[in-house]
Every structure is written in C-alpha cells, then in structure tokens.
Amino acid sequence: MNCKEALPLIHEYLDGDLQGSDSRLLKEHLIACQTCHALFKQLEKTDALVRMLPPVKASDTLTAQIMSGLPPMKQRNSWMDFIRRHPAASVAVVFGVVMFGSFMAMWNDDTSLMVKGSNLQDVIIQGDTVIVPQGHTVQGDLVVQRGTLKVEGDVTGNLTVIDGTLNLASTAHISGQVTQVNEALGWVWYKINEFVGMLSH
Ligand SMILES: [Zn+2]
C-alpha cells in the first residue's frame, strides 16, 4: 500500500468503517510509514476532540466565535451537524483545503516542524527555528507549527504560531494579526475557523 491509498483508509478507519484486509493493510502501512503514522495520530487526536465537542450553545464563547463568521441560522446548524456526524471527513476537508491548498508549505520530518506561507523565500529555517531576518520582508501570511518563530524583519500578513514559540525582535514589523494557538483544542478550532474563513471568502 502506498500513501495515496492509505489516506482514504485512515479516514474510513476513524469513521469506524474499516474492516478486514483493508484494516490489516493500513496497519502494516502505518507501521512502515512515518509520515502516514504521524498524520494518523494527528487526525485521531483531532477526531476525538471533535467528538467531545459540547452541543451548540449561544453561551459557548468558542462556538459563538466560529458562528459569528457564518451566514444564516439554518446553515449553521447543518454545518455543525455535519462536523458532528462526520468528524473524520470534516477534518479531512480542513486538512485538504488548509494543508494542500493554495499555499506553499514546508515540512521538516525530523522535528515535525511545519512552515506555511504564500512566500517563503525570505525565511530561514535552522532546525526547528524559523527566522525572518532583519531587513527581509515576507509577503502575506506566515504560519509555523511545532517550532520557534523568530521575527526580526517584516511580515505583511497575519502571523500564526501553533504549538510553538513566538519571538518578536524590536525590529520586527507585523502588518496583520498575531495569533498563538497552543492547546490542542484551540488548534482544532483554529483549523475550523480558518476553514470557515476560506468558505466565506
Ligand atoms: Zn505513507
């Protein structure tokens, strides 16, 4: 089994629909392939969190935050229902759109660092540290996951650090919003929020 064949099976597995020889083949691939294993662990964690989400309540701050970005009531409910009924599928869509969408992305397999941005040529990566050097400008948004982001130069878009550390030098200039997401649940909401943001644009 290759990675392309494994991905849909991972989602079937998380939805509880995977049986027999497919299940065995997937297990074999996950043991052999670090990339898919890491993705599986991430999806499994996300899937479990989405399943634990409380019922939609207006008083729920996080939910309200997400909802505020959404159109009419009826659509809101069916959208949340869809996520509740198909958590793995929803997460897959989020991953698909966010991770493999219109952005350039770079992964460092050793440290599982992820850097995402529309323009990465002015970014220096040393181990799990991502540096925007002084005098350099990153056009557009910059997202760093599981690493340290050190900004000495300019970023014209939004800056997001997920499960990492942000280090802003006095010379740094960020034109957009700076967001730090550290909790796993915050990360899920961040992904969903980002996904909804993309839908509404
Ligand atoms: Zn694989």
Side-chain angles (χ1 to χ4, degrees):
M1 183 181 298
N2 61 34
C3 300
K4 223 171 162 180
E5 291 164 338
L7 190 61
L9 295 183
I10 290 175
H11 295 127
E12 277 182 46
Y13 174 82
L14 290 173
D15 279 334
D17 298 335
L18 191 63
Q19 279 148 10
S21 62
D22 278 349
S23 167
R24 191 171 45 79
L25 288 170
L26 176 64
K27 265 178 206 155
E28 281 170 12
H29 182 77
L30 291 180
I31 290 167
C33 174
Q34 257 190 9
T35 312
C36 287
H37 188 252
L39 179 69
F40 173 77
K41 282 285 162 202
Q42 185 106 66
L43 286 172
E44 191 182 42
K45 200 168 78 176
T46 312
D47 188 56
L49 285 165
V50 172
R51 280 177 201 279
M52 287 189 314
L53 290 179
V56 181
K57 276 182 296 185
S59 59
D60 188 315
T61 320
L62 278 169
T63 307
Q65 267 175 13
I66 309 272
M67 291 310 169
S68 63
L70 285 173
M73 200 60 196
K74 206 174 170 95
Q75 283 186 13
R76 290 180 199 177
N77 287 338
S78 58
W79 179 76
M80 282 309 281
D81 282 352
F82 178 82
I83 290 192
R84 252 172 255 281
R85 274 184 282 117
H86 310 279
S90 309
V91 169
V93 170
V94 171
F95 265 86
V97 172
V98 173
M99 296 297 191
F100 309 110
S102 56
F103 288 105
M104 274 167 65
M106 296 198 301
W107 278 268
N108 180 337
D109 284 338
D110 296 338
T111 57
S112 67
L113 167 75
M114 193 275 290
V115 185
K116 193 169 70 119
S118 36
N119 174 359
L120 296 176
Q121 71 235 35
D122 281 304
V123 173
I124 296 172
I125 298 175
Q126 287 171 350
D128 60 359
T129 302
V130 179
I131 302 164
V132 178
Q134 192 171 353
H136 288 255
T137 301
V138 171
Q139 302 289 345
D141 298 345
L142 186 61
V143 179
V144 172
Q145 191 172 1
R146 289 180 295 270
T148 300
L149 174 60
K150 219 175 145 182
V151 183
E152 295 161 357
D154 292 3
V155 176
T156 64
N158 298 323
L159 209 61
T160 307
V161 178
I162 304 159
D163 285 334
T165 311
L166 178 62
N167 189 332
L168 290 179
S170 57
T171 50
H173 184 255
I174 318 298
S175 309
Q177 277 188 318
V178 177
T179 311
Q180 264 186 289
V181 184
N182 281 312
E183 284 172 39
L185 188 59
W187 180 85
V188 173
W189 282 112
Y190 165 77
K191 284 293 173 205
I192 293 172
N193 218 345
E194 191 179 52
F195 175 56
V196 171
M198 283 186 177
L199 283 185
S200 57
H201 282 139

